[in-house]
Amino acid sequence: MYLVIITWLYVTLMMAVAEATSSTGSLLGALVTFVLYGLLPMGIVAYILGTPGRKRAIKAREQAQQAAYDAQQAAQQAPAPMASPVEPSPEAASAAVSVAPDAGDHAAAATQGPLVAPVRKEP
């Protein structure tokens, strides 16, 4: 990919030099030739052809961040080693087990003030 871009920039540079050294040419014309025939099109081509590489880099970075996050979460959730070899009592073991907040299988409700009318079916 880079070989084609470098080659085309060389060709347009030679076109610009020919424009600048021509008896009817000018430096401004050479600059416009190089920018419009060389830099602008090859910049667009390089951007388009570089898209898959950028996507791979983004995906690799996201996977590395996810792996670091997962390792951090696993380290935080790992049980701490106990200082004494004595087993905890059953009450302490049941207190350590947590229940999901929505384990009650009912909708959460809040108290409603007197300004809110109850919702009911039409008679």
Side-chain angles (χ1 to χ4, degrees):
M1 173 179 97
Y2 293 117
L3 184 62
V4 172
I5 293 173
I6 292 169
T7 305
W8 183 251
L9 288 176
Y10 176 75
V11 168
T12 55
L13 180 66
M14 291 298 109
M15 289 171 56
V17 168
E19 174 80 23
T21 57
S22 171
S23 60
T24 58
S26 67
L27 288 177
L28 180 63
L31 181 67
V32 168
T33 299
F34 184 67
V35 170
L36 293 182
Y37 282 118
L39 290 180
L40 185 65
M42 286 302 108
I44 293 170
V45 168
Y47 180 78
I48 291 171
L49 293 178
T51 300
R54 284 192 307 274
K55 284 185 179 180
R56 280 192 301 271
I58 290 170
K59 193 175 215 177
R61 184 175 60 233
E62 287 175 352
Q63 287 177 349
Q65 289 175 348
Q66 185 65 37
Y69 176 76
D70 292 343
Q72 180 186 15
Q73 292 299 318
Q76 287 179 354
Q77 293 179 356
M82 296 184 65
S84 64
V86 178
E87 254 184 63
S89 65
E91 295 85 18
S94 66
V97 176
S98 65
V99 178
D102 60 351
D105 292 330
H106 58 80
T111 59
Q112 294 181 354
L115 299 177
V116 178
V119 179
R120 60 180 175 200
K121 293 182 181 178
E122 294 284 329

